[in-house]
Amino acid sequence: MKLKNVAAAGALALATALALSACGGNGGSDGAANTPSPAKTVDYSSLSGTITAGGSSAQANAQTAWAAAFKGLGANVTINYDKSQGSGGGRTNWLGGSYDFAGTDSALSADEFTQAKTTCGPDGGLNIPVYLSGVSVIYNLPGVDKLNLSAEVIAKIFSGAIKTWNDPAIKALNSGADLPSSPIATVHRSDGSGTTNNFTSYLNQVAPSVWTNAPSNDWPYPNVGSGQQGGSGVVNTVTATANSIGYADQSSIGKATQADIQAGTSGSTFVTYSADGATKAFDDAAQDASQGDGDLTKKLDYTKITGADAYPIPLLSYAVTCKTFKDSTQGKLTAAYLGFIGSKTGQDVAEKNAGAAPLPTSIQDEIAKTVALIK
């Protein structure tokens, strides 16, 4: 968009610079000089109020940055985003009418999409992709700075079939590594988690003979390993526990060490997470799975992610909201905010703060069209 005036441009630059320094995400930035211009003309200075939301902990760093940058555009809008609920709690609270939108790493199920007509009225809800990252497999293995893992080995580790670090299947992928005979301590999410849904979808699709459980927000092996609340709970536990392994959204891992993941189901190519790699994976794997007019549900076919330039476990996260709000003013606020975070500006802010991968331009265009339906 063309900003209304020079002051608004300066406010955006300042807000984004503050967000970058405050969040300290993995993406890194030189500051405001690289801040792009928003893509759509909106009089942000006319917006005033409060948006209440919550859910995905994966989105937390991005939401903090988005809220600051949104204010920097001149919007007098407070964004209250509660990451403690996780994706499952976010969807539940939104369906119960507590949130203007929910952040969730898995789209509404068919049953939830139907329930949304009770929450929102006959026009129902919308799944809007807003955040793209990756599920990192993190580990704490003293003396081992690099670890290669395949989908099959990951599935066997987290299901309890592989129990020690020097198991032949792990050694075969890590020639020359000094792997101890220590028991593996696995760490998983204890709460309803869209990150878990993405992770188990990958395992179920790429290693189906081992991971026979259907993808789920709930961990299917509660008696194997340690369950922790939220992505930060998993990261903190792995960081503090020698010989442990867990999974979390890449933006939340901090200084934790992450494994390289095998491209495809065989071969010697192992891929480190990168924003470009997550975007390439999305391009390769995303399929339209719309549940209604304007709905942007996508299904990821992880078996199509086989290239050395694509990270094998992308994570796609949504904002779930009503198409028609009972309070039209609140609908206007929410539409403006979601339109901003789904725009090129918003996606670049998330990349610089949270190491997120910008959604492809084609998806940004779809988001703009869907947000225009919100009233």
Side-chain angles (χ1 to χ4, degrees), residues 38-346:
K40 181 182 178 183
T41 301
V42 176
D43 183 6
Y44 291 101
S45 64
S46 69
L47 303 174
S48 179
T50 299
I51 295 173
T52 303
S56 166
S57 59
Q59 289 186 29
N61 288 344
Q63 288 288 349
T64 299
W66 284 329
F70 193 59
K71 276 185 173 291
L73 287 169
N76 183 26
V77 179
T78 298
I79 314 295
N80 293 323
Y81 185 86
D82 181 5
K83 69 176 183 179
S84 70
Q85 300 300 306
S87 296
R91 293 194 309 279
T92 297
N93 287 345
W94 176 75
L95 286 168
S98 298
Y99 291 161
D100 296 308
F101 74 88
T104 173
D105 302 339
S106 56
L108 293 172
S109 67
D111 286 346
E112 289 172 329
F113 199 76
T114 299
Q115 291 175 43
K117 293 185 178 181
T118 300
T119 303
C120 304
D123 289 340
L126 295 165
N127 293 290
I128 305 174
V130 294
Y131 178 82
L132 178 62
S133 182
V135 179
S136 290
V137 179
I138 58 174
Y139 66 96
N140 181 344
L141 199 55
V144 179
D145 298 326
K146 179 176 174 57
L147 185 69
N148 295 328
L149 294 174
S150 65
E152 181 177 344
V153 167
I154 294 170
K156 288 180 177 179
I157 289 173
F158 279 94
S159 65
I162 289 179
K163 301 182 182 298
T164 61
W165 280 108
N166 66 346
D167 187 278
I170 302 178
K171 292 176 69 174
L173 301 176
N174 295 277
S175 177
D178 185 15
L179 297 168
S181 60
S182 307
I184 299 174
T186 60
V187 185
H188 59 265
R189 291 283 290 269
S190 61
D191 53 326
S193 162
T195 303
T196 295
N197 191 296
N198 280 259
F199 186 51
T200 57
S201 292
Y202 161 74
L203 295 176
N204 177 258
Q205 290 184 31
V206 183
S209 64
V210 178
W211 199 270
T212 57
N213 298 282
S216 175
N217 294 311
D218 299 317
W219 188 249
Y221 294 100
N223 296 322
V224 177
S226 170
Q228 300 295 325
Q229 176 80 20
S232 60
V234 171
V235 173
N236 291 340
T237 300
V238 171
T239 301
T241 308
N243 303 312
S244 63
I245 188 169
Y247 62 92
D249 171 69
Q250 197 275 337
S251 73
S252 70
I253 69 172
K255 295 182 179 180
T257 305
Q258 58 185 314
D260 292 346
I261 309 301
Q262 186 180 58
T265 57
S266 63
S268 59
T269 300
F270 294 85
V271 184
T272 303
Y273 173 83
S274 69
D276 287 344
T279 299
K280 179 62 167 64
F282 180 88
D283 283 337
D284 291 345
Q287 301 173 347
D288 290 334
S290 178
Q291 300 185 65
D293 181 38
D295 182 71
L296 299 180
T297 300
K298 305 295 179 183
K299 179 181 178 181
L300 298 182
D301 184 349
Y302 293 90
T303 65
K304 294 186 179 298
I305 306 170
T306 59
D309 56 349
Y311 182 67
I313 325 177
L315 178 148
L316 181 64
S317 195
Y318 297 83
V320 173
T321 194
C322 292
K323 186 182 293 186
T324 300
F325 277 65
K326 296 174 182 177
D327 180 342
S328 60
T329 298
Q330 204 64 24
K332 178 182 178 181
L333 288 180
T334 304
Y337 181 65
L338 296 183
F340 164 68
I341 69 178
S343 71
K344 184 180 188 307
T345 302

